[in-house]
Amino acid sequence: MLNFLWGAMILIGVIWGAFHGTLGTVTENVLAGTRDAVSLCITMLGILSFWSGILKIGERAGLLERFSRGLRPLIRLLFPQVPPGHPAEQAMSVNIIANMLGLGWAATPAGLKAMESLDTLNDRKGIATNSMCTFLILNMSSLQLIPINMIAYRSQYGSVSPAAIVMPALLATAVSTVVGILAAKVLERTWP
């Protein structure tokens, strides 16, 4: 459906430009947009590589394990159905840490692994458990201490102060995370 919408918008834009005699401007903007997209992808690839390397170094140095241990009380509180030492704990911790650093793309593999691990505890296959729903909400709201992607985008597009987004992002993601978790816990009590 989304491909249809994008295709329709592009087609309408080209027809509109041809009808109004500005097809040359449409072509110039398409080329400029393509150039910007490639430049942004290269920038983001560099950032992705750098932070993926930092995460790998942290993993090998044992930092992720230490952070995971530090997050265990929170994970035990939010996910009481998950037995201590279950593989889902480690995957959820890595996901949370990556999200806190603003590395959503790096958090995705750990999030998928966490969901697979949580599904092993599921008695009713095909129906999400309370733990799965809570984790999904936690992952989607993703409390961000350092919004790396947003800082990179702002820097790429010439922002005078790319890091000015840090405090607003922290506040917004903190509120969304708290509200999401509270909603999950309230709904968990009302629906079995």
Side-chain angles (χ1 to χ4, degrees):
M1 180 68 175
L2 196 56
N3 289 340
F4 173 75
L5 290 173
W6 279 111
M9 287 190 303
I10 291 170
L11 185 61
I12 290 168
V14 169
I15 291 170
W16 185 269
F19 182 74
H20 286 89
T22 58
L23 204 49
T25 304
V26 170
T27 303
E28 288 174 22
N29 287 328
V30 166
L31 293 175
T34 304
R35 187 175 44 251
D36 288 347
V38 169
S39 176
L40 181 62
C41 286
I42 290 170
T43 299
M44 294 311 293
L45 179 63
I47 291 168
L48 170 95
S49 300
F50 175 76
W51 284 103
S52 293
I54 294 293
L55 279 176
K56 192 52 115 176
I57 291 168
E59 180 182 4
R60 287 188 179 166
L63 290 175
L64 288 181
E65 178 59 35
R66 281 193 214 137
F67 286 141
S68 294
R69 270 189 263 130
L71 285 175
R72 274 195 194 123
L74 177 67
I75 294 205
R76 297 293 322 131
L77 177 69
L78 294 176
F79 307 99
Q81 302 89 356
V82 177
H86 192 272
E89 280 186 345
Q90 176 73 20
M92 286 189 290
S93 295
V94 170
N95 177 273
I96 291 167
I97 292 165
N99 274 326
M100 288 175 116
L101 294 174
L103 307 172
W105 34 262
T108 301
L112 293 173
K113 187 175 180 182
M115 280 299 210
E116 287 173 356
S117 294
L118 288 170
D119 197 38
T120 63
L121 301 171
N122 191 354
D123 295 336
R124 302 180 310 177
K125 298 298 181 193
I127 298 174
T129 64
N130 289 334
S131 292
M132 293 169 90
C133 291
T134 302
F135 177 69
L136 184 61
I137 289 168
L138 186 63
N139 183 47
M140 290 172 57
S141 65
S142 71
L143 174 67
Q144 291 188 9
L145 301 177
I146 308 168
I148 297 295
N149 289 342
M150 288 288 93
I151 293 170
Y153 292 142
R154 289 171 53 86
S155 178
Q156 175 75 18
Y157 290 109
S159 173
V160 176
S161 180
I165 193 79
V166 172
M167 191 51 72
L170 178 60
L171 291 172
T173 58
V175 168
S176 69
T177 300
V178 169
V179 169
I181 290 171
L182 288 175
K185 293 303 178 183
V186 167
L187 291 173
E188 188 176 297
R189 291 175 188 253
T190 58
W191 285 326

